[in-house]
Amino acid sequence: MTDVVLDVEDLHTRFLTADGVVHAVNGVSFDLHAGEFLGVVGESGSGKSVTMMSLLKLIPMPPGEITAGEANFGDDNLIEMDHEALRDIRGGRIGFIFQDPMTSLNPVITVGKQITEALLEHTDMSKSAAKTRAADLLDLVGIPDAAQRLKNYPHEMSGGMRQRVMIAIALACSPEVIIADEPTTALDVTIQAQIIEQVRKLREELGTAVIWITHDLAVVAGLADRVLVMYGGRIVEEAKVDVLYSNPQHPYTRGLLGSLPRLDQKGHELTSIEGQPPNLLTKPVGCSFAPRCEFAIDKCRTEMPDYYELAIGHRVACHVNLDTGEPR
Amino acid sequence: MTAELTDATVENDADEREVIVRVRSLERHFPIRKGILKRQVGSVKAVDDISFDIYKGETLGLVGESGSGKTTTGRVILRLDDATGGDIEFEGVDLLGLDHKALRALRPKMQTIFQDPHASLNPRMTVASIVGEPLREHSKLRSAEQKARIDELLEIVGLAPDHANRYPHEFSGGQRQRIGIARAIALNPEFIVCDEPIAALDVSIQAQVVNLMEKLQKELGLTYLFISHDLSMVRHVADRVAVMYLGKIVELAGVDDLYDRPLHPYTKALQSAVPLPDPILENMRDRTILEGDIPSPSNPPSGCRFRTRCPIAQEQCKSEVPEFREMRSGQWVACHFAELDSQENAGG
Ligand SMILES: Nc1ncnc2c1ncn2[C@@H]1O[C@H](COP(=O)(O)OP(=O)(O)OP(=O)(O)O)[C@@H](O)[C@H]1O
Ligand SMILES: Nc1ncnc2c1ncn2[C@@H]1O[C@H](COP(=O)(O)OP(=O)(O)OP(=O)(O)O)[C@@H](O)[C@H]1O
Ligand code: SF4
Ligand SMILES: [Mg+2]
Ligand SMILES: [Mg+2]
């Protein structure tokens, strides 16, 4: 087994809002190995972004509040670090890529300057070396005429180009970990395919560990080594990618896969998951999927399921053995 | 210019299916104006000479990337926007020639379901008044009858009668889409343009809404134009599919032909770009990755609009707009170099 670069234990994050307390992340634990590609899937509001942003204190605090948890990165616990030290890690040893590049790129600074600034802040490179490196980076992420493109402002580029620039910035300081939050969701499908292909190539070349957040189970199927499925602020299932898609053991994962139409198959009946996603304003008692779950037993409504290890690396938070319908 | 879909050919391959909407050489160009005088300096060719039929009772899928002209096509067909050229017939009536009054009389038959149920429902109206609005506008029902019809509609779309007095913000996205559907079917329409009806919904909710739409289609005999950029969902819901690129339809075919035997290089590339929720297949797939970006529709490439990204483009593609031709029965393609596989050629 390879080295663990990031080890998150029992993370809890909540938001104190006018409507009440939003229980956004309710005990998330996972680890990330060097060079590994970890997919994180889940629907809107399941806590994917808040989990990852909590690690680097990128959530607004207040109203946000990390009430428990550890995130061990090398010798440090990120949760206990001050903002100063975290700023050094952000963009240095951990790179972040967001869904909408327009909100994270500065509109009045050229992309070249934005890349060199990241380099100058986190490394002791000279200005001219940083400039050369910036052009190399654009080239690396597949932007033609890289040297010319450095002079562009973000609005002079297409959405796909801007997302490539974001990847270049995230890669700038050769990070150990890149966290990509829905990096292709806003893009057209042919442009998404370009970006994914680029990421595939880079992965082979660079060996950086990647956490890729998405609500599209198909996007990570061909990319990830391992996948976490989130629901109601918890990880409900974790498995190696081939196991998750061929042998899903949480009713939510199964439901999700069953509700997906397939490009490569004729119209089979879509099995919809009835009901609505959980209201995070009430602290979950029992399993938060229970109201929508066709397998639910009494225990599901009163006791939060712990993790059952089904095989090495395959764990599921569910009281019921789906194959027998019996309690675990 | 070249998209000749003559009525004779269409009637031949229609095998007597009834055409409900007939679109010929439809065009919607938006003027681009500049300066104080607002002089026109060019135009966005959002929809540029497209022709197709929609058969009664079918779902025609309309797919394409953003800016390809899907929404504009839907809006022009419903006369929510004005065509700048071409013809549209609805049940044999020349739609573009109708005056305001005649159009209003036809309105109940043609409805629409929008992408964003949040934006399309008035936040200050109760569910009952939203769903009842078309009844007040277009029906002669008395208020008790209207109320009964509203209850019935809510039940049809899977909402409870006591939802009637609540406001849209009290509902989830999927429920709001049900409200939009209830309103759309209130007047027993024939034809509904569904513009990205599930795009804003969570995956687990998308299936609920699509299943509901399919059920209603069966029970009420509805015809759908289903606009979507989700190719997998379109395969699931559509009977036939039209693929748009920069204002043009590049391919139109029955759903199985389009997905199992696509002929246009853009259709092929588009499908190849869609990831499959299956790691084994994903790792075995041969991918065609299109290079470059989608050109601007205000300055589309000459000849074939796809040529700047097309893997098989040649000189001819620069100078000549490809004809929209029927290469297999019911499968129309606009490409100079699209080819049937050799067996088909041999077999004629
Ligand atoms: N600043 C905030 N104030 C209050 N609540 C918040 C805030 N940020 C996030 N939340 C809530 O926390 C929960 C988890 O949100 P999060 O953004 O992590 O979801 P997500 O899984 O990333 O969803 P999406 O797919 O929509 O991005 C949601 O209910 C959200 O409304
Ligand atoms: N009212 C308008 N004035 C000027 N240009 C317009 C107008 N409406 C649409 N367009 C342009 O027409 C083209 C087609 O737009 P349309 O909205 O039909 O595309 P679409 O296929 O529905 O895209 P999407 O998938 O993003 O919804 C785009 O370039 C758009 O900017
Ligand atoms: S724990 Fe119970 S309710 Fe939750 S998913 Fe499993 S069976 Fe369903
Ligand atoms: Mg998010
Ligand atoms: Mg649109």
Side-chain angles (χ1 to χ4, degrees), chain A residues 38-42 48 52 211-215 220 227-228 230:
Chain A
L38 182 67
V40 180
V41 301
K48 306 179 296 294
M52 299 309 158
I211 298 176
W212 184 290
I213 300 175
T214 177
H215 64 270
V220 286
V227 179
L228 312 177
M230 290 194 71

Side-chain angles (χ1 to χ4, degrees), chain A residues 250-252 287-291 293-297 299-301 303 305 317-320 322:
Chain A
H250 195 282
Y252 175 66
C287 170
S288 37
F289 190 59
C293 179
E294 56 176 312
F295 296 91
I297 53 179
K299 194 177 174 189
C300 304
R301 285 175 274 269
E303 225 177 277
C318 174
H319 289 304
V320 179
L322 304 194

Side-chain angles (χ1 to χ4, degrees), chain A residues 32-49:
Chain A
L32 177 73
H33 298 273
E36 182 184 34
F37 199 112
L38 182 67
V40 180
V41 301
E43 296 182 78
S44 185
S46 59
K48 306 179 296 294
S49 299

Side-chain angles (χ1 to χ4, degrees), chain A residues 13-17 20 22-25 41-53 59-60 62-64 99 181-182 213-215 230 233 278-281, chain B residues 202:
Chain A
T13 302
R14 60 184 193 183
F15 294 93
L16 308 175
T17 71
V22 178
H23 300 274
V25 178
V41 301
E43 296 182 78
S44 185
S46 59
K48 306 179 296 294
S49 299
V50 172
T51 297
M52 299 309 158
M53 301 204 334
I59 52 167
Q99 170 168 344
D181 191 352
E182 308 251 13
I213 300 175
T214 177
H215 64 270
M230 290 194 71
N279 176 359
L280 299 173
L281 284 169
Chain B
D202 270 328

Side-chain angles (χ1 to χ4, degrees), chain A:
Chain A
M1 182 121 291
T2 43
D3 305 342
V4 171
V5 283
L6 179 66
D7 179 15
V8 176
E9 289 294 334
D10 200 30
L11 184 71
H12 290 255
T13 302
R14 60 184 193 183
F15 294 93
L16 308 175
T17 71
D19 293 335
V21 181
V22 178
H23 300 274
V25 178
N26 305 302
V28 163
S29 307
F30 67 93
D31 53 18
L32 177 73
H33 298 273
E36 182 184 34
F37 199 112
L38 182 67
V40 180
V41 301
E43 296 182 78
S44 185
S46 59
K48 306 179 296 294
S49 299
V50 172
T51 297
M52 299 309 158
M53 301 204 334
S54 296
L55 302 179
L56 293 173
K57 298 214 174 87
L58 288 169
I59 52 167
M61 301 200 273
E65 196 175 81
I66 299 172
T67 54
E70 281 176 29
N72 297 304
F73 180 61
D75 298 330
D76 305 308
N77 176 3
L78 299 176
I79 303 297
E80 281 173 357
M81 276 175 130
D82 59 26
H83 276 271
E84 188 86 9
L86 275 178
R87 195 166 326 129
D88 224 33
I89 289 187
R90 232 165 28 218
R93 293 171 63 201
I94 299 181
F96 235 105
I97 304 169
F98 295 96
Q99 170 168 344
D100 180 6
M102 267 328 238
T103 59
S104 30
L105 288 173
N106 187 330
V108 298
I109 303 179
T110 63
V111 301
K113 187 126 193 259
Q114 297 190 53
I115 303 175
T116 42
E117 272 178 3
L119 287 165
L120 295 175
E121 190 183 331
H122 296 286
T123 67
D124 40 23
M125 238 176 231
S126 72
K127 249 192 170 151
S128 69
K131 230 178 166 171
T132 314
R133 168 96 173 130
D136 289 347
L137 282 163
L138 287 193
D139 194 47
L140 186 70
V141 296
I143 294 184
D145 297 328
Q148 278 303 311
R149 284 296 192 166
L150 289 176
K151 296 180 200 135
N152 281 168
Y153 290 91
H155 72 265
E156 296 172 308
M157 299 182 135
S158 67
M161 286 288 191
R162 287 197 288 261
Q163 202 51 287
R164 287 176 193 261
V165 170
M166 286 301 299
I167 296 174
I169 293 175
L171 286 174
C173 305
S174 308
E176 288 147 71
V177 177
I178 287 184
I179 300 176
D181 191 352
E182 308 251 13
T184 59
T185 305
L187 303 175
D188 270 318
V189 61
T190 61
I191 310 298
Q192 165 171 288
Q194 291 174 354
I195 300 280
I196 289 179
E197 191 62 16
Q198 194 74 45
V199 168
R200 240 191 223 113
K201 274 192 209 136
L202 288 173
R203 247 194 96 195
E204 273 166 29
E205 252 169 74
L206 307 177
T208 312
V210 180
I211 298 176
W212 184 290
I213 300 175
T214 177
H215 64 270
D216 184 349
L217 273 163
V219 164
V220 286
L223 280 172
D225 299 307
R226 204 156 47 103
V227 179
L228 312 177
V229 181
M230 290 194 71
Y231 189 84
R234 287 191 87 203
I235 293 169
V236 295
E237 185 159 7
E238 169 189 333
K240 287 224 176 73
V241 68
D242 49 334
V243 174
L244 190 89
Y245 292 78
S246 62
N247 185 25
Q249 286 298 327
H250 195 282
Y252 175 66
T253 317
R254 273 204 193 172
L256 216 48
L257 284 166
S259 64
L260 282 184
R262 296 276 302 246
L263 183 83
D264 56 338
Q265 286 168 14
K266 275 195 194 175
H268 58 286
E269 179 85 7
L270 299 182
T271 51
S272 65
I273 305 177
E274 294 308 315
Q276 313 298 331
N279 176 359
L280 299 173
L281 284 169
T282 48
K283 202 175 164 76
V285 189
C287 170
S288 37
F289 190 59
R292 304 175 73 186
C293 179
E294 56 176 312
F295 296 91
I297 53 179
D298 286 346
K299 194 177 174 189
C300 304
R301 285 175 274 269
T302 54
E303 225 177 277
M304 190 178 281
D306 217 331
Y307 292 100
Y308 294 88
E309 185 109 23
L310 307 177
I312 294 172
H314 190 182
R315 65 182 167 125
V316 58
C318 174
H319 289 304
V320 179
N321 177 334
L322 304 194
D323 297 329
T324 63
E326 300 292 316
R328 283 200 189 277

